[in-house]
Amino acid sequence: MKIAILGGGCVGLTTALAVQEEFRNHHLDVLAENFEQTTSHVAAGIFRVSPTFSGPTDSITRKWISDSYHYYEAICRSREASEAGVTSISGYIFANTSPESVKNDLMEKLVPIYRPVTDDEIELVGGNWKYGSFLSTLLTQPNQYLPWARNKLTASGAVLKKYSVKSLKELAKDYDLVINCTGLGSQSICQDRKLVPIKGQVIKVRAPWLKTFFYGEINTYIIPNGNGTATLGGIRDFECSDLTVCPYQAAAIRDRCERLVPSLKTAQLIEHKTGLRPHREGGVRVEAERIKDGLCSALVIHNYGHGGYGICTAPGTSKYAVELARDAHRSSAKL
């Protein structure tokens, strides 16, 4: 069977790994416009899923999140953890809006620790916070995980190709199965008007003393990267596709983060980064369809629209996408 994965970010590469594990005697191509500059490269990589993250049903959503966490947890416990860039991390979420804003039903029963902060802990940071939670979770470094995934794929026979897909139909003559993980690219490839770009902007700084992550009302976050650097964020500009670094937003991010953790005032600037989160109204799309081009046809499984939670949930949606492909392949084989 000839298989194509579209997309070179975390969702695409993780899906390709799942395909290699599920299907035998196949030829696998991973097609992407770029493997080095994707939205995944901008992400901080912490495993924290918003309570509003959604798939087609609540049970499927929870399974995606659970499968994803256990995927990264298995890597974290393996000999490949350092190469893949997966480590454990703990930290705090603070808020003033309401006690509900520091709770997370999708995370609380999944991670090892998720508890209210003590009175002493709420004094650890700057600001007069009313509510807080402490949790232990996982961190995946994109600049390590993505090369690790690419190396595993090519070592097992996959071919990575730089290729710009204009239409899914153009692939029908060359592939039996296509899994579409193009994120915002599906706006044009699938004419999906439910996809909306949400611009993100972060600052990378050198802060080797930081070992704990901090959130303040979610829009302010400080995430150590495990290599002496930290990611400071962030912004969420709805329907904004401009990747230019905004100096005013950069100044606001730095100010909010320094007020939350004052020691960051001495942190050395490394770089500013921007990216476009592929948000999809109605939730992530993981579903099957069949495409035809004349007499040629191929099965397509869509796996896109993860918003800002692509790294968090890629393993779960990838597993689900491959299960859809497997079931469809078995059904066609019986005909």
Side-chain angles (χ1 to χ4, degrees), residues 132-150:
S133 291
F134 173 86
L135 63 145
S136 177
T137 185
L138 297 167
L139 182 72
T140 301
Q141 295 286 358
N143 63 346
Q144 290 180 255
Y145 177 80
L146 297 173
W148 171 82
R150 291 196 299 266

Side-chain angles (χ1 to χ4, degrees), residues 20-193:
Q20 281 192 329
E21 186 174 335
E22 176 64 34
F23 293 100
R24 302 290 181 244
N25 301 318
H26 67 272
H27 174 84
L28 175 62
D29 289 338
V30 183
L31 312 178
E33 289 186 357
N34 197 313
F35 289 96
E36 302 295 338
Q37 298 293 329
T38 70
T39 300
S40 298
H41 287 83
V42 182
I46 193 167
F47 194 96
R48 191 203 68 82
V49 182
S50 168
T52 61
F53 177 82
S54 65
T57 67
D58 183 66
S59 61
I60 290 175
T61 300
R62 291 179 182 275
K63 188 175 188 306
W64 286 352
I65 296 169
S66 176
D67 287 345
S68 296
Y69 183 84
H70 293 306
Y71 171 88
Y72 289 123
E73 184 181 44
I75 295 176
C76 187
R77 292 179 176 178
S78 74
R79 294 180 179 180
E80 296 182 277
S82 58
E83 183 183 355
V86 182
T87 59
S88 58
I89 190 170
S90 297
Y92 297 90
I93 297 175
F94 297 103
N96 284 324
T97 51
S98 73
E100 298 302 317
S101 57
V102 296
K103 296 179 181 179
N104 190 321
D105 181 55
L106 295 176
M107 293 279 293
E108 290 175 15
K109 295 180 181 179
L110 183 61
V111 297
I113 303 171
Y114 202 118
R115 60 165 176 79
V117 298
T118 65
D119 291 340
D120 290 337
E121 286 174 317
I122 212 164
E123 300 296 328
L124 288 173
V125 294
N128 298 312
W129 302 102
K130 296 179 182 178
Y131 316 106
S133 291
F134 173 86
L135 63 145
S136 177
T137 185
L138 297 167
L139 182 72
T140 301
Q141 295 286 358
N143 63 346
Q144 290 180 255
Y145 177 80
L146 297 173
W148 171 82
R150 291 196 299 266
N151 290 338
K152 284 182 72 70
L153 288 166
T154 55
S156 299
V159 179
L160 276 59
K161 297 181 180 180
K162 286 192 174 182
Y163 183 85
S164 180
V165 177
K166 303 301 181 185
S167 168
L168 293 174
K169 287 185 177 181
E170 71 190 64
L171 303 172
K173 65 181 184 298
D174 295 319
Y175 297 100
D176 306 296
L177 169 64
V178 176
I179 305 185
N180 172 28
C181 308
T182 56
L184 281 174
S186 290
Q187 277 184 322
S188 58
I189 293 174
C190 302
Q191 298 297 303
D192 190 339
R193 293 191 294 176

Side-chain angles (χ1 to χ4, degrees), residues 242-315:
D242 181 8
L243 286 172
T244 305
V245 172
C246 175
Y248 303 105
Q249 291 172 329
I253 291 169
R254 186 102 195 207
D255 177 65
R256 295 199 312 268
C257 290
E258 288 177 2
R259 282 189 281 116
L260 182 62
V261 178
S263 67
L264 286 171
K265 292 177 181 179
T266 62
Q268 178 187 358
L269 172 66
I270 299 174
E271 62 180 334
H272 298 274
K273 283 193 170 187
T274 61
L276 302 179
R277 305 175 180 98
H279 173 74
R280 187 170 186 271
E281 301 289 347
V284 183
R285 184 187 185 191
V286 187
E287 60 185 22
E289 72 168 317
R290 186 159 288 277
I291 57 170
K292 290 186 178 182
D293 185 17
L295 298 177
C296 301
S297 69
L299 174 68
V300 174
I301 307 294
H302 297 286
N303 184 14
Y304 66 83
H306 298 67
Y309 305 102
I311 292 180
C312 288
T313 60

